[in-house]
Structures are given as structure tokens and as C-alpha cells.
Amino acid sequence: MEKQILDLRVKSVEQLGFRYSLIKLTSDESLPTIYPGQFVEVRVDHSSHTFLRRPISVNFVDVENRELWLLVAQVGHGTRQLSKLVPNEFLNCLLPLGNHFTIPTDINAKVLLIGGGVGVAPLLYYGKVLHDRKYDVTFLLGAKSKDDLVEKELFEQYGEVCITTEDGSLGEKGYVTNHSILQKRNFSYLATCGPKPMMLSVARYAHAHKILCEVSLENKMACGLGACLCCVEQTKDGNVCVCKEGPVLNINKLLWQL
């Protein structure tokens, strides 16, 4: 898949909750083909502290309007600098990077997409693609509190949305793997992205119930091209660079203790 370096114009930057920014980018020309689960490496300009690009999951792609959305968690100097972008500035992006989520071969598959924190980001576009192809999609979103949950109304456009919060301020109290829907309903395909402990719990649930499951790993990345080797993950097939062979991997390939 051909990679491009593009200067994309900032259409808007919206503050979501207390630590997220939704950056909408646009191009005068058609965007390259981008699949759900892929990511971009963005250059952080005007920052004396940020020397490397930052990997950001693709949150959404509006092909008709040539828009690319990035959901950014403000966790460090680089990401806080990105949140300060203003309309009509440009963001230099290397894209598209990595592999992508699988489209189930069975149109009748019951699909559950599980996200936690900023890990919900790639699931919105994935859910949209599945919805457009007439799949039955359910989202299970986890957050610390209702104020930490983002894009709920957007997810609701593409499927049923179930919620857990750690403080019980919205949805069911607890973690995503405690949600009652996992006991009430049978699913044939799971995909998840979020903190590793959460994904490990989801993977164990999927393994115990013999459900096909893919995880989107969030290993630290620098180059996005497989050159720096800082994102290496040990698998049953040997060491792989998550930025190239991932970030999406089937749990059966991982060396996680399931």
C-alpha cells in the first residue's frame, strides 16, 4: 500500500471532555485509500520538546468531503501542542500506515467492537464501514466516568452502544468485560482497542468462548515504517513490528497468557 506525506489543512479542532481533541483535516485532492484500524504519523511543529512524529489512529474518514479525523488524547507535550492547532493551519501527515481490521466473511456475523479510553478512536470508522455493509454491529465503550466518554452520539449512528464507567456515572459500573451484554448475547467476532489490561481481558473472554478476536495494539512507535524497532511485539511467528505487521493482530498469534 503506497504511503504518502501530505500537508492536510485543519478544518476544525474540537475539545471533547477534559483531555481529548477531535482534529478534522481536509484536502483539496482525494485522500488515499484508508482502511479501519490504520494510523498516521503526524509531525508536531512549533514544539522544542517534540522531535519525533506522533502515531495517531484514524478516527474517521469522510471520503466524499475529503476529511480525515484524528481523536487525540492530550497526554504529553506533543499531543497538547496538536490540540492548539487552529483552522487553516496545516498538519504534515505520513499515511496510511499499518494493517487494518478484518471484514468478517459471514454477513450474518454478530460483531462486537470494544473500546476503552482513546482506544475507541479506530472503532468509529470501522463501525461505519461495517454498518454500510449491513453487518449487525454492537459497540461496548468503557471510560473512567461519563466525562471521559467521547463520540457516543456518533457511535449510535452505526449500531447499538453499551457503556461501562468505572465510577458508575453512565451505563453499567465497572470494566467493559463486566458488562452484562457479554452474558446475555452471543457474538461471533470481536475487535478491541484500548489499554493493554483491558484488551487482555477481552482476549481471554474471546478465547474462552471460541470467538474470533482482533486487537489493535498500542505499542510505542516512532518511525511508523519498521525501521526503529521500538514497537516490536513477540508473537508465535517471531518478533514483528507493530507499525508494519500490526497494529491489528489476531489474538491467536500473540504470546499472551489466555
Side-chain angles (χ1 to χ4, degrees), residues 9-13 23-26 65 67 86-89:
R9 183 168 54 83
V10 176
K11 183 175 182 180
S12 64
V13 179
I23 303 173
K24 295 184 179 180
L25 305 168
T26 187
N65 292 311
E67 284 187 14
V86 297
N88 293 320
E89 283 190 313

Side-chain angles (χ1 to χ4, degrees), residues 10 34 41 132 138 152 205 232 234:
V10 176
I34 302 172
E41 287 271 0
D132 288 351
T138 302
K152 175 176 175 289
Y205 169 85
V232 167
Q234 292 182 332

Side-chain angles (χ1 to χ4, degrees), residues 2-255:
E2 184 178 354
K3 302 169 181 61
Q4 299 183 30
I5 298 179
L6 300 175
D7 285 316
L8 300 179
R9 183 168 54 83
V10 176
K11 183 175 182 180
S12 64
V13 179
E14 181 181 355
Q15 187 71 24
L16 303 182
F18 60 90
R19 68 185 188 104
Y20 298 106
S21 297
L22 178 60
I23 303 173
K24 295 184 179 180
L25 305 168
T26 187
S27 172
D28 293 333
E29 299 180 359
S30 297
L31 292 168
T33 300
I34 302 172
Y35 295 100
Q38 292 188 300
F39 67 99
V40 305
E41 287 271 0
V42 302
R43 190 180 69 204
V44 183
D45 296 329
H46 313 299
S47 172
S48 59
H49 296 77
T50 310
F51 303 102
L52 300 174
R53 289 177 179 265
R54 291 295 185 263
I56 308 292
S57 296
V58 171
N59 180 221
F60 195 78
V61 179
D62 185 334
V63 176
E64 183 177 348
N65 292 311
R66 301 190 295 277
E67 284 187 14
L68 169 65
W69 299 6
L70 303 178
L71 180 64
V72 179
Q74 300 163 24
V75 295
H77 189 273
T79 48
R80 287 195 295 270
Q81 192 68 28
L82 290 174
S83 71
K84 297 177 183 178
L85 289 166
V86 297
N88 293 320
E89 283 190 313
F90 286 90
L91 184 63
N92 185 269
C93 299
L94 172 62
L95 76 165
L97 299 174
N99 66 353
H100 52 85
F101 289 113
T102 300
I103 302 297
T105 55
D106 181 6
I107 189 63
N108 296 312
K110 302 296 182 183
V111 179
L112 179 63
L113 307 183
I114 304 178
V118 76
V120 304
L123 303 183
L124 180 64
Y125 183 41
Y126 188 26
K128 192 264 185 188
V129 169
L130 291 172
H131 175 269
D132 288 351
R133 299 189 184 196
K134 310 303 181 185
Y135 284 88
D136 182 349
V137 181
T138 302
F139 300 99
L140 176 51
L141 310 178
K144 293 183 180 297
S145 71
K146 65 178 181 180
D147 296 327
D148 199 46
L149 185 73
V150 295
E151 300 190 318
K152 175 176 175 289
E153 294 77 13
L154 294 175
F155 280 103
E156 289 173 337
Q157 296 179 23
Y158 306 117
E160 178 185 359
V161 175
C162 302
I163 295 169
T164 64
T165 50
E166 293 179 26
D167 64 359
S169 56
L170 187 65
E172 297 186 13
K173 184 176 182 178
Y175 301 115
V176 289
T177 45
N178 303 132
H179 198 284
S180 59
I181 194 173
L182 297 177
Q183 285 73 49
K184 294 178 179 177
R185 216 175 292 177
N186 295 321
F187 295 95
S188 49
Y189 175 79
L190 298 182
T192 185
C193 183
K196 185 174 179 178
M198 184 208 79
M199 292 195 292
L200 182 56
S201 293
V202 172
R204 286 171 174 160
Y205 169 85
H207 179 73
H209 292 81
K210 296 180 173 55
I211 303 171
L212 177 66
C213 180
E214 291 182 322
V215 297
S216 179
L217 300 182
E218 295 187 323
N219 296 31
K220 289 185 178 180
M221 303 179 194
C223 70
L225 301 171
C228 67
L229 304 180
C230 71
C231 66
V232 167
E233 178 80 15
Q234 292 182 332
T235 74
K236 295 177 182 177
D237 299 324
N239 293 340
V240 301
C241 288
V242 169
C243 66
K244 289 186 66 178
E245 285 82 6
V248 179
L249 293 173
N250 189 297
I251 62 170
N252 293 327
K253 294 184 177 181
L254 297 171
L255 294 177

